[in-house]
Amino acid sequence: MSRYSAQQSSISENNRSRILQYLYHNGICSRAQIAKAIKLTPAAITKITAKLLAQGIIDETGDMDGDKNRRSIGLNLNCAKYHIIGVKFARSLVQIAVFDLKCNRIFLSDLPTVSEEHIPETVERIRDTVRQLIKDDPSIVAVGMAVPGPYLKDEGRTALVSSMQGWRQINFIDEFSNAFSVPVFVEQDARAGALAQFLFNPELSEGSLAYYLLGEGIGLGVIDNGTIYYGEHGTATEIGHVSIDVNGKPCDCGNVGCLERYCSANAIHEQLNANPSIVPGCETMTHAQACAALFAKANAGDETATLLMLDVARYVGYGAVTIINAFNPTHIVLGDIIAQAGQPLLDEVTQVVRERTIPEIGRNTRITLSALPTDATVTGAAAVAITNFLEHPSMFFDVA
């Protein structure tokens, strides 16, 4: 392909994407409305939408009111027509879900708890499960995967997975990119979660968004004015490995006092196992179950459980202070396992931020709990695939 042809192809793909994204976010629109909104000529819109209609990507919906009381034909991207698989990797937990393009959940399954020695079997189980889902549902057009960070995006592997190093041996690109009959997209888990918040919550799409993942690890994804922040190798924003105590607990990363050693689900479970009277039977629970039991006891008024929960929340707050000072986001969204502690967690984090940040900066950062109906990371895995569907339609359809 010549340089000119490549440029024209890129421009055409960009224009197709802009039309699909406009319909995705605004619903049924006329050609004239789209032309005005994205600043293309009516002739260009007619040409591009004709190809999208021919491929069945969009539909005509009949007459609608146009400018100056003229009748127009509406165009619609039927978001229920296409389905996406999201896969969440979180050390011992793997979730697989199916969504439509608006992230309405159709299916969700947790695989058996993953142990270090059974990671290869888990990878094979994921392949088998996803293949069966695609076979059973021809509407599935893509797979998105959210994996623990620090994720080396060009290499396809995670540089470090605290407490379960076996995942470092898995190259997600090699294992999954050609495993299915539909395209596969892999993203670091917290960035995937940020993308889900950005895509499915219009209130968070303006300004700078930080998704603060509080799960089996601690992660951060930052989207600044619509652009994900990656860094050189894709490992930027690794808040979990920022030290908050130079004389603190050793971490698998080689540092000491890392944030995730104090407020991750793994760290909480470790404390509960050392003090089993707080949550009897915690030794046989998963990390998520142990945390849920702790939060339930705290909400019921148990003093010891409440003190531990608030101690964890303070450490989460220290991380929020670092996020504010480093990235100055408009919004911070707390999500994943620890966010299930709810309002008491949010109140304590907000108090720490109020005490420890420059007032003019801290008070202008809005901190909220994730409002997504499904776990933000598995939703984020789907959001990664949905974003690629909207941005690169020629990967999925013959629209050239």
Side-chain angles (χ1 to χ4, degrees), residues 111-131:
L111 295 192
T113 302
V114 184
S115 58
E116 185 92 29
E117 63 270 23
H118 292 126
I119 288 175
E121 290 92 329
T122 297
V123 169
E124 190 58 41
R125 185 189 291 265
I126 292 167
R127 278 198 290 260
D128 290 343
T129 302
V130 171
R131 284 171 182 154

Side-chain angles (χ1 to χ4, degrees), residues 206-374:
E206 299 294 331
S208 178
L209 165 66
Y211 175 67
Y212 191 3
L213 184 152
L214 308 167
E216 292 192 355
I218 301 296
L220 178 68
V222 175
I223 298 179
D224 187 30
N225 292 307
T227 301
I228 297 177
Y229 186 68
Y230 283 100
E232 177 65 20
H233 300 290
T235 62
T237 68
E238 278 298 324
I239 190 72
H241 294 291
V242 169
S243 179
I244 56 171
D245 183 355
V246 295
N247 299 307
K249 300 176 182 179
C251 180
D252 288 347
C253 74
N255 202 353
V256 297
C258 289
L259 181 64
E260 72 172 38
R261 294 290 289 117
Y262 299 88
C263 59
S264 66
N266 294 22
I268 294 171
H269 202 175
E270 186 179 293
Q271 291 190 64
L272 292 175
N273 286 338
N275 300 279
S277 61
I278 302 175
V279 176
C282 62
E283 302 93 335
T284 62
M285 297 179 181
T286 65
H287 300 316
Q289 289 168 344
C291 291
L294 172 68
F295 302 151
K297 291 197 71 172
N299 289 334
D302 183 278
E303 182 177 358
T304 305
T306 299
L307 288 174
L308 177 54
M309 185 275 294
L310 290 176
D311 188 53
V312 168
R314 277 191 289 275
Y315 283 111
V316 174
Y318 302 154
V321 170
T322 299
I323 293 168
I324 290 169
N325 287 335
F327 299 102
N328 185 29
T330 310
H331 313 273
I332 297 176
V333 179
L334 312 180
D336 218 286
I337 296 170
I338 312 307
Q340 294 172 14
Q343 193 63 43
L345 171 81
L346 180 61
D347 290 343
E348 188 68 20
V349 170
T350 303
Q351 180 62 30
V352 170
V353 166
R354 188 178 297 118
E355 292 171 352
R356 293 172 177 261
T357 58
I358 299 169
E360 293 85 349
I361 300 173
R363 67 174 173 235
N364 289 321
T365 303
R366 184 183 175 208
I367 306 175
T368 59
L369 299 167
S370 174
L372 293 178
T374 302

Side-chain angles (χ1 to χ4, degrees), residues 66-93:
D67 293 338
K68 299 178 182 179
N69 296 318
R70 289 179 292 192
R71 304 300 295 174
S72 298
I73 296 175
L75 298 177
N76 180 51
L77 173 60
N78 186 349
C79 292
K81 182 177 180 179
Y82 302 104
H83 295 166
I84 300 290
I85 293 176
V87 183
K88 169 186 176 176
F89 296 83
R91 295 168 173 81
S92 69
L93 172 66

Side-chain angles (χ1 to χ4, degrees), residues 20-43:
L20 291 181
Q21 291 188 63
Y22 189 79
L23 289 171
Y24 182 85
H25 291 293
N26 294 278
I28 298 172
C29 300
S30 69
R31 290 170 176 80
Q33 288 172 327
I34 298 170
K36 182 177 180 180
I38 67 174
K39 296 179 172 55
L40 287 177
T41 66

Side-chain angles (χ1 to χ4, degrees), residues 142-208:
V143 176
M145 295 185 165
V147 304
Y151 177 64
L152 303 168
K153 62 183 178 66
D154 294 329
E155 295 185 32
R157 64 179 182 87
T158 296
L160 171 76
V161 183
S162 303
S163 76
M164 196 172 284
Q165 294 296 329
W167 281 116
R168 295 179 64 188
Q169 309 307 315
I170 302 301
N171 186 299
F172 293 94
I173 294 175
D174 290 347
E175 295 287 354
F176 297 109
S177 63
N178 296 309
F180 314 118
S181 58
V182 299
V184 177
F185 306 95
V186 183
E187 184 56 273
Q188 181 249 31
D189 51 7
R191 277 195 282 273
L195 196 55
Q197 303 291 338
F198 180 84
L199 194 60
F200 305 124
N201 190 338
E203 292 183 2
L204 301 177
S205 62
E206 299 294 331
S208 178

Side-chain angles (χ1 to χ4, degrees), residues 1-47:
M1 181 183 291
S2 70
R3 180 179 298 179
Y4 174 77
S5 297
Q7 289 175 340
Q8 288 299 109
S9 178
S10 175
I11 292 170
S12 297
E13 181 78 335
N14 180 60
N15 288 337
R16 285 189 291 266
S17 171
R18 292 167 66 199
I19 291 171
L20 291 181
Q21 291 188 63
Y22 189 79
L23 289 171
Y24 182 85
H25 291 293
N26 294 278
I28 298 172
C29 300
S30 69
R31 290 170 176 80
Q33 288 172 327
I34 298 170
K36 182 177 180 180
I38 67 174
K39 296 179 172 55
L40 287 177
T41 66
I45 295 294
T46 298
K47 180 179 178 180

